[in-house]
Amino acid sequence: MILEFESIPLDDLIIKTSFDPKHQNILERHTVKIMKQASAQKAEQVAAVVMNEHGAVTAMLGGRNWAKSPFNRAVHAKRQTGSVFKTIAYLAGLEFGLSPDDKIDVSNVVIEGWSPRDQTDEDQSEKVMTMMEGLTRSSNKAAVAIAEKSGRDSVIQIARRLGITAPLQEHASLPLGAQEVSLIEMTGAYSVIAREGRSTTPHAIKEILTGSGDVLFRHYPDA
């Protein structure tokens, strides 16, 4: 979001945000504990977004220490999303006409010489699983098979409708979150799912007023 104001002294602006101090305090407190545990794995940075189903950000962390690194990783950094992206592939499958009980063949998922693997690959007895089982187990094979059946372009179009604007390529690994998306956009996509498909706009600024009370900007909730 870019807001421009002409001939208005900045010290006369009143900015109302959606941040909740209680949420922010809880987020920071728990993040300190998590980062202490992650130090053994040499995790140096962190990013977090707490958002309600209407897209309002109630808490955010853009890094471990703003004084040392003011870069906001929650908004500006793009990283591989991993398994959280799989849900979008399943949505594409549902739109394609599959149902949660439909069986997916995961016995030999090979695309262009590449084959996804699951953590349970040591158990080769299972050749078929339902969509629901695939989602519950976060199966890489099932997600890729569903994306191939519904079409990789369909997965990208679903992502766009969920509010993801990051560049996405039609690679076979697309449904596994191998491509980079910002945390704020990925969280916003899940807020759309929480609203049962109704559009949401991630935001933190609710209103901007002049010192005399004139409204310069107001965020109107999505219908």
Side-chain angles (χ1 to χ4, degrees):
M1 180 192 306
I2 299 176
L3 302 176
E4 295 182 357
F5 306 106
E6 297 181 2
S7 303
I8 299 176
L10 291 179
D11 57 350
D12 285 344
L13 296 182
I14 300 171
I15 301 176
K16 298 181 180 181
T17 74
S18 57
F19 285 98
D20 186 325
K22 292 182 180 179
H23 291 185
Q24 188 69 32
N25 288 336
I26 292 172
L27 175 61
E28 292 180 9
R29 187 167 63 251
H30 283 279
T31 300
V32 168
K33 295 180 182 178
I34 292 172
M35 291 304 291
K36 285 182 178 178
Q37 296 171 358
S39 293
Q41 303 175 8
K42 299 182 179 180
E44 297 182 356
Q45 281 297 346
V46 65
V49 174
V50 179
M51 181 185 296
N52 66 25
E53 69 274 19
H54 299 290
V57 177
T58 62
M60 177 186 291
L61 282 179
R64 190 169 189 169
N65 187 313
W66 186 88
K68 294 182 179 180
S69 177
F71 179 65
N72 190 337
R73 292 161 183 82
V75 176
H76 301 299
K78 292 183 179 181
R79 298 180 63 87
Q80 293 180 334
T81 62
S83 293
V84 297
F85 198 90
K86 292 176 185 175
T87 302
I88 299 177
Y90 282 88
L91 290 174
L94 292 173
E95 281 207 342
F96 180 75
L98 298 175
S99 73
D101 294 326
D102 281 346
K103 298 187 183 306
I104 307 298
D105 184 356
V106 297
S107 61
N108 187 31
V109 183
V110 180
I111 301 96
E112 301 164 3
W114 170 77
S115 180
R117 295 182 60 82
D118 285 327
Q119 291 182 344
T120 56
D121 270 355
E122 62 274 8
D123 180 10
Q124 297 296 325
S125 61
E126 190 167 40
K127 306 298 183 183
V128 175
M129 66 178 69
T130 65
M131 276 188 65
M132 181 63 74
E133 289 172 338
L135 180 61
T136 302
R137 302 179 189 182
S138 190
S139 167
N140 292 336
K141 291 182 177 180
V144 171
I146 290 168
E148 291 301 303
K149 184 178 288 290
S150 59
R152 299 174 204 169
D153 180 65
S154 296
V155 176
I156 292 176
Q157 293 306 313
I158 291 284
R160 296 286 178 250
R161 286 157 53 194
L162 291 173
I164 295 174
T165 64
L168 298 173
Q169 304 297 322
E170 294 184 27
H171 297 157
S173 60
L174 168 69
L176 304 185
Q179 299 179 46
E180 297 178 341
V181 179
S182 68
L183 180 59
I184 191 76
E185 283 197 350
M186 202 68 233
T187 309
Y190 269 80
S191 73
V192 177
I193 296 172
R195 291 194 73 204
E196 299 181 343
R198 286 172 288 178
S199 175
T200 62
T201 302
H203 63 281
I205 297 177
K206 297 167 60 178
E207 199 171 53
I208 300 178
L209 309 169
T210 65
S212 59
D214 294 328
V215 177
L216 300 177
F217 170 83
R218 178 175 290 152
H219 174 81
Y220 291 95
D222 297 290

